[in-house]
Structures are given as structure tokens and as C-alpha cells.
């Protein structure tokens, strides 16, 4: 049977459409949307606590979009900077620059464009403090952490925790143009939380980091040292979260923070125990529970505002 010209044209059109969507998907993956989602989970509750209620929907939209652009910019530029080591690690070997779906130049332009867009959006509709913190977060993550600390010190996770916790301060500043003690404590929760969270991931992908020459703590230190630090930082995370309780919060926040914090600490101790016994460490158990913990604590923060 001869092929109809119309069918050929439709097939060609379908292929072009798929190719366009593939490019769009590649650019979206540059922004690491799962990380962006996690950052936004902490931002909105911080804004609600700062406002002692629901901030204006317009302000929340601006901060959500501006924050997403800023995080996406930082992540896209991170992919550009790390394009030499990403092919060496299985976890990052499918990123768009590695697979040549996007050129390094286009990735950099995309990241810088998002950075400019986020800065302009925050400057136009929030205040100088929130805008300055947004710019600082992008610069810190890409210039100080990615290009320098990540490759030179085993304490890179600790110092990288600063930019990961910045959305809390940005959201609070957008509402009040100031930073109260509660804002700094919520910042501390996210900051300390990142160590057990990312140490667990670094244990899982230890060989990848070693192959790429990244001096993660899991690569250069003993498993016992990593497990001990995971326990210490899990305790610091929970202690900091409970320090928020007396600052006008009720048991709607305090009880979930206490209960979930207890499970978080138990899981960190479980990782330590398995490490010392020479058993399968199962680090992703701590990784996934830490994500659930942070989500529950910040959802409880938001709910407490309205009780």
C-alpha cells in the first residue's frame, strides 16, 4: 500500500512536536525541579509565620515565582560549572549537558537569564532585603559552593547548607523587610537538617563522588565519623525546631515537631548502629525520612498560624 502524503506530513509534525517538548524538558531538568519544590515547601510557611496569617496572594505568588527562578538559575549554572565532573558520576550522567541535549553556552545563558528575571521580579514587588538575599543565595551557591568549596573541602555540605536554608529568610524578609529570631531559628532547622539528609545521599553515591574527585565527607572520612555527624546534626535540627515552639507557637506545631523529630533522631541513630555493626547501612532510609520530617515540620508551622 502506498503511503499517503498526509500521513507522512502528520508523522513529521508529530516528530517535530516531540523534539520541541524534549528540549523544553531538558531545560526544565536543568533547574532540578525536585530541589526547587523542597525549597518552596519551607518558604511559604515562613511567610505565613512572618505575617501571622496569610500574606497577600500576590506577594506569595511573586516569592514563589521569583524563588523558583532563583533556585532554577542556581541549579542551571551549577550544571554548567559541573559539566566536567557530571559525566563521571552515574547519578548525574544523564543531565542535559552530559547527553548534549543542551550546549554549555545555552545552559549558562538560560541560568543567567533566570537569575536576572528573579532579581528584577523580587526588586519590583518585594523589598531590598529579600532581593539582596535572593541574589546572595544564587552567588553563594554557584561561586562559593559549587565552584570552590564543593571541590576543595570535606566540609562542603556544611557550608553549602547556607544557601539551602536561605529561602526561609527570603520569604520572611519579603513579608516584613526584617529578620526576626523565629526566622533565624527556621533557617537553623533547614541548615542543620541538610547534613544528615545529604550525608545519607553521599553514602549511597560514595563511589561516584570518589570517581569525580569530590572530597565529600563520606569519601575522605571513616563511616563512623559520617554516622556520628549525622546523629549530631539530627539532634541539632530537632533542638532548633523545638526552640521555635516558645516563640508564639502552639502544640499544633510543637507536638508534630517533637514526635517527627524523635523518629528522625532514631533513624539517624539506626544508621550509626548499622554502621558500627558492619551491616548494610541503608542510608536512603534516613534520606527519605528526613524529607518527610522537614515537610511535616513546615506544614505544621503553616497550620499553627491559623489555629
Amino acid at each position: 500500500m502506498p503511503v499517503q502524503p498526509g500521513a507522512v506530513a502528520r508523522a513529521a509534525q508529530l516528530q517535530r512536536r516531540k523534539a520541541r517538548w524534549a528540549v523544553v524538558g531538558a531545560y526544565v531538568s536543568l533547574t532540578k525541579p525536585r530541589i526547587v519544590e523542597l525549597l518552596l515547601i519551607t518558604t511559604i510557611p515562613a511567610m505565613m509565620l512572618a505575617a501571622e496569617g496569610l500574606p497577600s496572594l500576590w506577594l506569595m505568588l511573586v516569592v514563589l515565582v521569583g524563588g523558583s527562578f532563583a533556585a532554577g538559575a542556581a541549579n542551571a549554572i551549577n550544571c554548567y560549572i559541573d559539566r566536567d565532573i557530571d559525566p563521571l558520576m552515574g547519578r548525574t550522567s544523564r543531565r542535559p549537558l552530559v547527553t548534549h541535549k543542551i550546549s554549555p553556552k545555552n545552559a549558562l545563558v538560560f541560568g543567567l537569564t533566570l537569575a536576572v528575571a528573579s532579581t528584577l521580579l523580587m526588586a519590583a514587588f518585594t523589598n531590598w532585603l529579600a532581593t539582596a538575599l535572593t541574589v546572595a543565595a544564587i552567588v553563594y551557591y554557584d561561586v562559593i559552593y559549587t565552584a570552590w568549596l564543593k571541590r576543595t573541602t570535606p566540609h562542603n555540605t556544611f557550608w553549602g547548607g547556607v544557601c539551602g536554608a536561605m529561602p526561609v529568610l527570603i520569604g520572611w524578609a519579603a513579608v516584613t523587610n526584617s529578620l526576626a529570631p523565629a526566622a533565624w531559628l527556621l533557617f537553623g532547622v533547614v541548615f542543620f537538617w541538610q547534613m544528615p539528609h545529604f550525608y545519607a545521599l553521599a553514602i549511597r553515591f560514595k563511589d561516584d563522588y570518589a570517581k569525580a574527585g569530590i572530597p565529600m565527607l563520606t569519601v575522605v572520612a571513616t563511616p563512623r565519623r559520617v554516622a556520628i555527624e549525622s546523629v549530631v546534626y539530627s539532634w541539632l535540627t530537632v533542638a532548633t525546631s523545638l526552640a521555635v515552639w516558645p516563640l508564639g507557637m502552639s502544640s499544633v506545631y510543637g507536638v508534630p515537631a517533637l514526635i517527627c523529630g524523635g523518629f528522625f533522631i532514631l533513624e539517624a541513630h539506626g544508621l550509626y548502629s548499622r554502621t558500627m555493626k558492619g551491616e548494610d547501612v541503608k542510608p536512603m532510609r534516613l534520606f527519605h525520612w528526613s524529607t518527610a520530617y522537614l515537610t511535616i515540620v513546615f506544614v505544621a508551622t503553616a497550620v499553627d498560624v491559623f489555629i
Side-chain angles (χ1 to χ4, degrees):
M1 293 289 290
V3 178
Q4 297 295 322
V8 174
R10 285 193 298 273
Q13 184 180 27
L14 181 60
Q15 286 298 111
R16 288 194 296 270
R17 189 177 302 163
K18 286 183 177 179
R20 285 196 295 269
W21 278 112
V23 172
V24 171
Y27 275 102
V28 171
S29 69
L30 272 182
T31 67
K32 305 178 186 176
R34 288 185 179 180
I35 296 178
V36 173
E37 179 185 357
L38 189 61
L39 296 177
L40 296 181
I41 285 173
T42 65
T43 305
I44 294 302
M47 293 181 68
M48 294 169 67
L49 184 58
E52 298 181 351
L54 191 66
S56 78
L57 295 180
W58 172 248
L59 181 61
M60 287 198 296
L61 179 62
V62 167
V63 174
L64 279 174
V65 174
S68 297
F69 282 1
N75 289 328
I77 297 170
N78 166 271
C79 287
Y80 171 81
I81 296 170
D82 279 351
R83 68 191 186 279
D84 60 328
I85 60 174
D86 280 348
L88 305 176
M89 299 190 289
R91 186 172 65 90
T92 58
S93 61
R94 292 182 296 276
R95 286 180 176 173
L97 269 68
V98 179
T99 58
H100 306 292
K101 292 178 181 177
I102 299 174
S103 70
K105 177 184 176 182
N106 288 347
L108 180 59
V109 170
F110 175 64
L112 292 175
T113 300
L114 284 179
V116 171
S118 68
T119 302
L120 293 177
L121 190 62
M122 296 295 286
F125 298 108
T126 62
N127 54 64
W128 70 269
L129 180 57
T131 303
L133 290 171
T134 300
V135 174
I138 297 172
V139 173
Y140 187 99
Y141 182 72
D142 288 320
V143 178
I144 298 177
Y145 170 72
T146 302
W148 176 31
L149 296 174
K150 179 179 179 179
R151 298 171 182 242
T152 59
T153 173
H155 304 296
N156 48 24
T157 304
F158 178 88
W159 295 111
V162 172
C163 43
M166 286 290 279
V168 172
L169 299 185
I170 293 169
W172 193 287
V175 173
T176 67
N177 198 20
S178 63
L179 296 173
W184 287 108
L185 286 173
L186 290 177
F187 171 90
V189 171
V190 184
F191 175 78
F192 290 129
W193 165 86
Q194 288 176 93
M195 264 60 77
H197 179 74
F198 286 110
Y199 283 164
L201 194 65
I203 292 171
R204 170 69 176 80
F205 295 102
K206 174 183 175 180
D207 293 341
D208 270 4
Y209 287 115
K211 192 186 305 181
I214 302 299
M216 299 295 289
L217 190 68
T218 54
V219 174
V220 303
T222 64
R224 179 176 181 273
R225 163 78 179 278
V226 177
I228 289 174
E229 289 205 16
S230 297
V231 168
V232 169
Y233 283 116
S234 68
W235 276 96
L236 287 173
T237 302
V238 175
T240 306
S241 72
L242 295 179
V244 180
W245 194 350
L247 300 181
M249 307 295 282
S250 73
S251 59
V252 172
Y253 167 85
V255 172
L258 183 61
I259 294 174
C260 293
F263 282 112
F264 182 32
I265 289 171
L266 283 175
E267 191 56 56
H269 277 275
L271 183 143
Y272 174 80
S273 176
R274 292 188 295 273
T275 298
M276 298 309 295
K277 292 177 181 177
E279 300 174 352
D280 181 3
V281 178
K282 300 177 182 177
M284 298 309 286
R285 284 179 46 173
L286 178 58
F287 177 83
H288 292 304
W289 177 250
S290 65
T291 301
Y293 163 80
L294 193 72
T295 302
I296 292 169
V297 166
F298 275 86
V299 168
T301 301
V303 173
D304 189 278
V305 172
F306 294 101
I307 301 301

